[in-house]
Amino acid sequence: MKLLVIGGGGREHALAWKLLQSSRPMRPIKVFIAPGNACTSLEDGIENLSITAIPELVEFARKESIAFTIVGPEAPLAAGIVDAFRAAGQKIFGPTRQAAQLEASKDFSKAFMLRHGIPTAAYATFSSPAEAHQYLEQKAAPIVIKADGLAGGKGVVVAMTLAEAHAAVDAMLVENSVGDAGPKIVIEDFLEGEEASFIVMADGRHVLPLATSQDHKRLKDGDQGPNTGGMGAYSPAPVITPTLHAKIMREVIHAAMNGMEKEGEGYTGFLYAGLMIAPDGSIKVLEFNCRMGDPEAEVIMLRLKSDLITLVEHALNGTLDKAEAEWDRRTALGVVMAAHGYPDSPRKGDVINGLAKLTTTSASEKDFYVFHAGTTLDEENRKEIVTAGGRVLCVTALADGVKLAQRRAYEIAEQIHFEGCQMRHDIGHWAIKHLRK
Ligand code: AMP
Ligand code: GLY
């Protein structure tokens, strides 16, 4: 059975790794990954592909009789990769170009939430800088300025003062700081609380909720520094109690699924609701993503005990209501090791040491996995693994409870070295705080 994963980061590595573990009888399984990373190029059963253009990927899937394709990142989804595969009769798990607007346009997403009564912060949309400045004069800080389009995690400014907010408006609407993402902006009320990631698989009508998780978006310890794609994650997220879980399914997930169906097409693919949970237990959607999270996928896949191929087949056949996902009851915690200069200008080419000698001191060999993201083999002798992107590795460990998982992940991370590595030291701090309650 041949499968294809689109992307090359830690999320896609985790998806490919999990697909490969299938115990289904149609082994051997071969997973192609486009473009993949250094580790996927070395792993048995996985093969990197250098093609990235959508028509070429469709042709590859057809020629190789790929059973199905899974899409990792948002950009190909927003570019219509699902529509192109489906038009060619190829099976692919993801939302269509239209449905991917839920992530690709903040304005679309906010208006959609308003139309369908999905709880979210009050907002207004602007393309005129003068009108945006005028609106800010009636508001108070903190306040949040978001570029409408995809900006690779750089399109959100949480302004602590109105001066910062005015500067962000000018940067996005006048100085074009986020390029095509910024001809339109959303200005949104600031929300306080604890964030959580709630991700489901959807088949157009039914949903299968995946394990809950929590990301750490800021670069530095104590949630300080600039926003990043995510510096670490853990699963489960204790902030999501069973009562909250039911409420999120009702008010957010089913409301979004029904909304998409009413507006013309059922949502298929991973659907990710980024939530803010207020101290009083009320929930608001910060954003929808039309894909798995990264590094959420790494911790979720490490805990998934069910067969991912079977789950995706249910999703493709419209039978997710008959699917069940079984989870490792342990906590998974992933620490991202990022390159020097990340997130603004990550340096490439630093040699990564320590990967080959990683030792497991626990009885179980399977209590950690180092997922690769921005890594490649050095060009000269293709023997050394070097940095090739912002987030380089996600060191992910499984243990009984968040404290032990945290200790184990850092124990492994300390055995890996590269020049200029940036890593947070407090991944899991929110969950640890819950233990003290
Ligand atoms: P987004 O891409 O919309 O999820 O925003 C990125 C990050 O900015 C979120 O994960 C939050 O940490 C922060 N953020 C976004 N919107 C708000 C808001 N309305 N209030 C407070 N923080 C926010
Ligand atoms: N970790 C956040 C995201 O994938 O959007």
Side-chain angles (χ1 to χ4, degrees):
M1 183 187 215
K2 293 181 190 170
L3 306 167
L4 173 60
V5 174
I6 309 292
R11 164 183 52 210
E12 292 79 21
H13 188 186
L15 290 168
W17 171 85
K18 188 66 205 169
L19 289 170
L20 205 57
Q21 282 172 19
S22 177
S23 54
R24 293 268 297 266
M26 68 296 198
R27 293 181 76 91
I29 293 160
K30 173 143 192 189
V31 182
F32 293 94
I33 182 163
N37 54 46
C39 189
T40 57
S41 75
L42 299 172
E43 229 167 289
D44 282 346
I46 306 187
E47 185 175 326
N48 285 9
L49 289 184
S50 52
I51 50 176
T52 49
I54 292 176
E56 287 176 41
L57 290 165
V58 171
E59 184 50 25
F60 177 85
R62 204 189 50 74
K63 213 173 72 223
E64 291 287 337
S65 304
I66 297 292
F68 63 74
T69 297
I70 304 187
V71 190
E74 61 279 15
L77 292 166
I81 192 169
V82 169
D83 313 64
F85 269 67
R86 283 189 189 162
Q90 297 300 313
K91 289 189 177 172
I92 185 163
F93 183 56
T96 60
R97 181 194 184 119
Q98 171 58 24
Q101 289 299 301
L102 266 188
E103 172 168 4
S105 166
K106 296 271 188 208
D107 179 44
F108 175 91
S109 178
K110 296 290 287 189
F112 174 85
M113 288 190 249
L114 213 60
R115 281 198 296 278
H116 299 288
I118 299 171
T120 189
Y123 82 107
T125 302
F126 300 94
S127 38
S128 145
E131 285 170 23
H133 287 303
Q134 206 174 17
Y135 177 78
L136 282 177
E137 287 309 326
Q138 304 151 27
K139 305 294 277 189
I143 191 152
V144 185
I145 319 291
K146 300 184 174 184
D148 175 58
L150 294 177
K154 290 184 186 165
V156 175
V157 174
V158 180
M160 298 316 286
T161 64
L162 279 182
E164 261 179 74
H166 285 294
V169 166
D170 283 337
M172 289 184 199
L173 288 183
V174 183
E175 293 142 29
N176 228 0
S177 65
V178 282
D180 288 347
K184 213 156 57 170
I185 58 168
V186 161
I187 301 183
E188 183 177 286
D189 287 359
F190 176 81
L191 299 171
E192 252 170 303
E194 184 175 341
E195 284 181 54
S197 305
F198 198 96
I199 304 171
V200 302
M201 291 174 77
D203 68 9
R205 297 190 61 203
H206 319 103
V207 294
L208 177 73
L210 301 180
T212 58
S213 59
Q214 198 174 57
D215 184 17
H216 299 61
K217 288 241 165 73
R218 302 297 191 99
L219 182 69
K220 295 187 185 295
D221 286 11
D223 298 321
Q224 302 295 310
N227 259 326
T228 70
M231 292 298 290
Y234 60 85
S235 170
V239 65
I240 300 185
T241 58
T243 313
L244 261 185
H245 195 282
K247 185 167 153 165
I248 294 163
M249 286 297 286
R250 200 173 56 242
E251 293 182 7
V252 178
I253 301 297
H254 287 303
M257 288 294 293
N258 292 339
M260 291 305 279
E261 205 174 346
K262 263 194 216 142
E263 295 192 9
E265 62 177 305
Y267 186 95
T268 54
F270 292 108
L271 178 63
Y272 166 146
L275 303 170
M276 187 69 92
I277 295 151
D280 67 0
S282 62
I283 43 171
K284 290 216 160 66
V285 177
L286 288 175
E287 60 166 348
F288 278 120
N289 293 323
C290 59
R291 51 173 175 79
M292 260 291 216
D294 190 348
E296 289 94 330
E298 289 89 313
V299 290
I300 290 173
M301 287 301 124
L302 201 65
R303 286 190 63 219
L304 181 63
K305 289 173 92 173
S306 313
D307 179 35
L308 181 59
I309 294 181
T310 306
L311 296 185
V312 175
E313 283 177 345
H314 272 298
L316 292 169
N317 294 334
T319 53
L320 270 180
D321 54 330
K322 298 189 174 64
E324 234 177 294
E326 200 193 334
W327 303 100
D328 195 309
R329 57 170 184 76
R330 290 175 292 176
T331 297
L333 186 140
V335 176
V336 169
M337 301 179 77
H340 175 85
Y342 178 71
D344 288 335
S345 46
R347 188 169 68 197
K348 294 182 179 174
D350 288 307
V351 176
I352 308 170
N353 292 307
L355 286 168
K357 325 191 269 296
L358 276 180
T359 48
T360 162
T361 51
S362 107
S364 157
E365 289 280 328
K366 285 190 184 161
D367 76 341
F368 76 89
Y369 197 86
V370 180
F371 293 109
H372 284 225
T375 64
T376 190
L377 295 176
D378 74 302
E379 273 176 22
E380 239 167 67
N381 55 18
R382 304 196 62 78
K383 283 213 174 95
E384 282 180 320
I385 296 178
V386 299
T387 63
R391 290 183 290 173
V392 176
L393 302 167
C394 182
V395 179
T396 314
L398 265 179
D400 286 313
V402 65
K403 276 188 167 172
L404 287 178
Q406 186 190 56
R407 188 195 297 169
R408 186 78 182 119
Y410 283 110
E411 218 170 76
I412 308 289
E414 273 156 24
Q415 300 177 53
I416 304 171
H417 301 279
F418 55 89
E419 258 322 287
C421 170
Q422 302 187 80
M423 170 169 88
R424 278 182 62 160
H425 301 89
D426 62 348
I427 301 303
H429 72 95
W430 283 95
I432 289 169
K433 212 167 74 188
H434 280 281
L435 296 176
R436 297 197 198 107
K437 277 185 186 164

